[in-house]
Amino acid sequence: MKKIIECVPNFSEGRDLDVIRQITDAIVSVQDVQLLDVDPGASTNRTVVTFIGEPEPVKEAAFRAVQKAASLIDMSRHKGEHARFGATDVCPFVPVAGATMEECAEIARQVGRRIGEELGIPVYLYEHAASIPGRKNLADVRSGEYEGLAAKLAKPDWKPDFGPAEFNRKSGATAVGAREFLIAYNINLNTTDRRYANELAYELRERGRWKRTGNIDPFYYKGEVVYFAEGKYPDGNSDFVATSFRELAAFYQEKYGSDLAKRYRSIGLDPDNLVGSPVYQDGLFTHLKGIGWVVDAYQCAQVSLNLTNYKVTAPHQVLEAARELAGKKGIVITGSEAVGVVPFEAMQQAGRFYLERMQKSTGIPARDIVTTAVQAMGLNDVAEFDIDKKVIGLPVAEGPLVGKSVAEFVDEVSRDTPAPGGGSIAALAGALGSALASMVVNLSIGKGEYDSRYEDLCRLAEKAQDTKDELVRMIDADTNAFNEVLAGIRMAKDTPEQIAIRSQVIRAGYKTASEVPLRTAELCREVLGLCQQAADIGNTAVMSDAGVGALMAYAGVQGAIHNVRINLPNTKDEAFITRMTARLGSLLSESKTICESIQQQVESGF
């Protein structure tokens, strides 16, 4: 899977569309960066831009955007409702697919250093990239805003992480960080009563709601609010009443394992001065913000939610809790809406959740899993959910070869060109073998005799799908590897220097052309193991398919190894040749043994 990073810089200009356009033009000037959204706000005088891509192009696009904003925006003249302290106010990096939070934090550090050193702008690292705990919270980093920045920079404790500790009157400062992906998600109700949407939002969200008593069933908002009083400190989630906040906090820590003082401070209340303040009941989910509203265009009320860490609180979990709560109140949830884009991982979690509830296989193609999630969550209820536009990180087979029809691919192989050749065909053979292994498993799931093995079979099908997808990617990878050799051969060789460089490039190309088919052979060997497990299931109706899958995988092993061996001598590197040959080892003999065993197993069933 490609590493995909999202960048969401906020610029202190939301009114001058020409300035905004110049900034976004700087972003799209970088090849392989995809601009997803540009959201200007006139009252805030701020624009939020969202773009994605692989790490290197995203880093470059982020820097160019900051550079352009610094040249166009004068913070000394800026007015707006939103908190801000720089022309590029914040620039967070977000892991979307195949990337880790630490990788995004390192990207933030690299981009932050470049902004500070090349543009002379003070840079503060925040969230997961923060250099010290006191700078993790963006609100703390940005406190005082632009107007207080000069005084802040003069304090030793607020020396910037990068750039000069000097006030940049025109550009201010920039906060660069790494954070989790934020999913904006709305749940649709069969009513236009905002109170009903709030009723659900308050119960779901981390902030929770005021504790009430009396007429709270089925609608909690109709009850009487409970307040703290002298010597009377009720627990928000139970009937327990303490005589002091200290006693209540100890109870809360023991029963719920959380810091009550921290909780009340997070909602703006002073734990040492709570008398007369409402008691708060905890919400069902952490990392979740929510409110109810009515959307006239949809003619319905919505529970509007922000999921700040979908890996802890996922959209489908919140939806199912909302469905249960709504049912008790006579409210019907008609569907839901994803605002903006959603990571594939979140959709995959949802799709697998609903497939498991139906006792269907979770080891199906990625798009099928997402389609299941879209249907189960009603994501087409009020607005179109286009999978290709809304889901980022969806594994897709990209490349000039895999994009061809079967007939076109066969014709391409048959032409008088060295690539695509045996290596690509070996990868295709292995992919087909893994697809057959998955098919055998998926045709067994759902039959009564295999119900006790449901989870194990799903994991086997998932592994077969993952291996299939990687082998499909190897089809183009093998051709691309040999193209490196061809590029070297076409280089000039008129001078001794050119000859030496050409020779070096060719040898390096042959190394790549050896390493890629070796990986194909290793994957095909894994497919043989999957075919063996598929055959062991014992479903006689599809036993022949397990046998064919094994034959394809074995052909893939053989073909890939042929390609390794034919390219190795041209590397002219004895140490590399020895190392690669050793890695081949018993790969072929092991594969032959497994394949023959599967064929005997299959034939015994005829």
Side-chain angles (χ1 to χ4, degrees), residues 507-584:
R507 289 198 300 270
Y510 274 116
K511 283 187 177 181
T512 303
S514 301
E515 291 169 334
V516 170
L518 175 61
R519 177 58 182 160
T520 296
E522 291 170 341
L523 287 168
C524 289
R525 165 63 181 83
E526 291 180 19
V527 173
L528 280 164
L530 295 171
C531 288
Q532 180 67 72
Q533 293 179 69
D536 290 343
I537 292 171
N539 187 342
T540 56
V542 286
M543 187 66 76
S544 61
D545 297 295
V548 174
L551 289 171
M552 296 299 293
Y554 182 50
V557 173
Q558 289 181 306
I561 288 178
H562 286 342
N563 275 264
V564 176
R565 287 174 171 165
I566 199 169
N567 289 319
L568 273 179
N570 296 301
T571 66
K572 310 296 185 183
D573 185 333
E574 291 303 323
F576 178 80
I577 294 171
T578 300
R579 186 166 64 252
M580 291 290 286
T581 302
R583 288 180 66 185
L584 293 176

